[in-house]
Structures are given as structure tokens and as C-alpha cells.
Amino acid sequence: MVKGPGLYTDIGKRARDLLYRDYQADHKFTITTYSPTGVAITSSGTKKGEQFLADVNTQLKRNNITTDIKVDTNSNLSTTIVIDEPAPGLKAILSFKVPDQRSGKLELQYLHDYAGICTSIGLTANPIVNFSGVIGNNVTAIGTDVSFDTKTGNFIKYNAGISFSNADLIAALTLNDKGDSLNASYYHTVKPLTNTAVGAEVNHIFSTNENTISVGTQHALDPLTTVKARINNHGKANALIQHEWRPKSLFTISGEVDTKAVDKSAKFGLALALKP
């Protein structure tokens, strides 16, 4: 297992990845090429209904500094600069988007054997300040995530969470949306050799007394092919198959049906990622 409790975003992450990662109803194509100087250029296109979205991302790595520059079809220019380990356990991230003048943000992450801290501040006159912290170890962790708007003087987000992990089981409990949402998740590795795992998530919204229960599983048919399935108490059933037909190049087909409205057409998604 990984040393330390990680960051707040790691609480419940394994269950979320099992239940939601790689499922989609769109058609997406991504291709990555590398220049002789080591610059990675990734072009991607996504078809959402009748709309087509595309972007080009250029990534340059030099020593411990990684720079990403992305241009999309809406003429937005996004830049992210990551400085890894300027000091032991520390990571600095600077991001901004043109022409959005309020998008600039500076983020610092610090990982320790018994703590994980992430803080960010918007680069504006009246910024939003975010802080999240986790204490514990690789077995038990407890943390909080808060955001403060200096313009209004109000907290716009405050969440809290706790997680428990051992060799094959991860359980997490989080209180979100200013205390209005309670989420419990569970991830269990059944058979490591075939990457077989099961997971479940229960989400309760106090203001509407609404419950959402999702259960899912994954299994590797062979070292290059993985299947996943998910269903929730609202009748939505999803499944996907993902095949790594060459190293780091993935082909994914996913589908969704509404078991409570079988007369509706099923949704299908397709993703193709090519890397040399």
C-alpha cells in the first residue's frame, strides 16, 4: 500500500474510479505523438450529440517542471505549470486560462507519511481560498475540505471525510455540500490476479431525503482486456469493455440502458486513445 494518507481527494477514490471511470455516452478519439525533442502533443475530439468539441494539448517536461498548454475549439488557451519536489514532499501548480482573467490559481500540495495538505488561492483581487487537509496513515485517514470567498466573506464549501484501508478493502464516509449530502463507499479486491473487484456507493441528500445506491464490479478477461458493470437503484445499468491493443493504446466501448424505461433507446459510447 502507498505510504501516508494521501490528499483529501483520495478519500473514496478507488470506489469512484471503479463505479464511474471510463463510462461515457460520447464518441471520443485521442492521439498522442512525441517530437524528437520530447514534446508530447495530444489531439482529441469528442462528439456530444450533434456537437463536436476538439482540443490540442502540448506537454513539455524539463527536469522537475512540466508545462501543459491546451487550445480548444472555443478559442480558450489553458496553461498549467507543475513544479515537482521544489522541496521534499512539495508540489507547486500554477494554472490560468486566456481570455478568462479570473481563472488564475496557485496551488500547493504537501505529502507526508502522516499528513496530506492541499491549498490554493485564486490570483484575483478578491480570491477564493481553498484548503484541504488529511491526517492519519495508510490505514486510517480523516480530513476536511473548505473554500472561503474573500469577496463575500462566506464559506462556499465545507466537507469532511474519513477512510479505512487494508490490503484488499477500502471504506470511506464523507459529508458534502455543506452537510446536505452523506456519502458512503466501499471497494473490495476479490482476486488481484485477474484485477477482480467489487464496489458500492450510497449517497443520501438530507434536503430532499433522496437516496442513490450504486454497485459495480470489474474483471480482467486477460492481461489486456477488462470488463466493468454498474447498476443503481434508479434502474440505470452500465457496462463497458476496454482493450489495450498496444501498449498505452486503449479501445473502450460502453453502454447504458434504463431498466425502468426499456422502450427508450440504449446509449452507447466509444473511446479510442492512441499512443506511440
Side-chain angles (χ1 to χ4, degrees):
M1 292 185 292
V2 180
K3 291 181 63 178
L7 299 174
Y8 184 83
T9 52
D10 294 325
I11 294 179
K13 185 177 184 299
R14 292 294 294 274
R16 289 195 303 271
D17 286 350
L18 171 65
L19 293 171
Y20 304 110
R21 187 176 177 181
D22 295 324
Y23 289 103
Q24 62 177 357
D26 307 315
H27 296 167
K28 185 174 182 179
F29 176 78
T30 304
I31 183 170
T32 302
T33 58
Y34 294 90
S35 72
T37 57
V39 177
I41 300 174
T42 301
S43 302
S44 65
T46 303
K47 187 176 184 298
K48 294 178 176 287
E50 298 300 321
Q51 187 179 20
F52 183 79
L53 304 174
D55 62 67
V56 178
N57 185 85
T58 302
Q59 184 181 82
L60 173 63
K61 291 185 178 181
R62 185 179 180 88
N63 298 324
N64 65 331
I65 301 176
T66 302
T67 303
D68 285 275
I69 301 174
K70 183 170 71 173
V71 181
D72 61 27
T73 49
N74 294 321
S75 299
N76 293 314
L77 176 65
S78 305
T79 302
T80 303
I81 302 172
V82 179
I83 305 176
D84 197 21
E85 295 272 335
L90 187 66
K91 178 184 289 188
I93 304 172
L94 174 65
S95 61
F96 57 89
K97 181 185 292 185
V98 177
D100 186 358
Q101 298 180 355
R102 295 181 55 83
S103 63
K105 185 174 72 172
L106 177 62
E107 179 177 333
L108 295 176
Q109 298 178 1
Y110 177 71
L111 291 174
H112 184 269
D113 288 349
Y114 301 103
I117 297 172
C118 179
T119 182
S120 66
I121 183 170
L123 302 180
T124 62
N126 299 293
I128 292 176
V129 181
N130 181 267
F131 172 85
S132 65
V134 178
I135 58 173
N137 50 36
N138 59 346
V139 176
T140 305
I142 184 171
T144 185
D145 179 23
V146 296
S147 290
F148 181 76
D149 189 338
T150 60
K151 184 176 181 178
T152 62
N154 296 322
F155 284 95
I156 59 176
K157 178 178 69 173
Y158 39 87
N159 305 325
I162 186 171
S163 69
F164 171 81
S165 307
N166 65 18
D168 60 358
L169 182 149
I170 302 174
L173 182 68
T174 57
L175 187 64
N176 307 309
D177 302 323
K178 298 181 180 180
D180 188 46
S181 173
L182 183 65
N183 183 284
S185 63
Y186 166 85
Y187 176 93
H188 178 61
T189 302
V190 178
K191 191 174 182 181
L193 186 63
T194 57
N195 197 29
T196 303
V198 295
E201 180 186 70
V202 179
N203 190 71
H204 177 75
I205 300 176
F206 293 100
S207 60
T208 61
N209 200 31
E210 180 183 356
N211 294 311
T212 301
I213 304 172
S214 302
V215 295
T217 184
Q218 70 178 23
H219 174 73
L221 300 177
D222 58 54
L224 301 177
T225 308
T226 298
V227 292
K228 295 175 66 175
R230 179 189 78 209
I231 190 169
N232 65 23
N233 61 317
H234 300 302
K236 297 292 181 66
N238 301 72
L240 71 78
I241 181 169
Q242 184 176 79
H243 179 67
E244 186 177 10
W245 58 282
R246 56 179 296 178
K248 299 181 180 180
S249 294
L250 301 173
F251 178 69
T252 307
I253 299 177
S254 58
E256 177 185 284
V257 294
D258 188 344
T259 60
K260 295 184 178 181
V262 292
D263 55 318
K264 293 183 178 180
S265 300
K267 298 179 181 179
F268 293 96
L270 176 67
L272 179 62
L274 304 178
K275 287 189 177 182

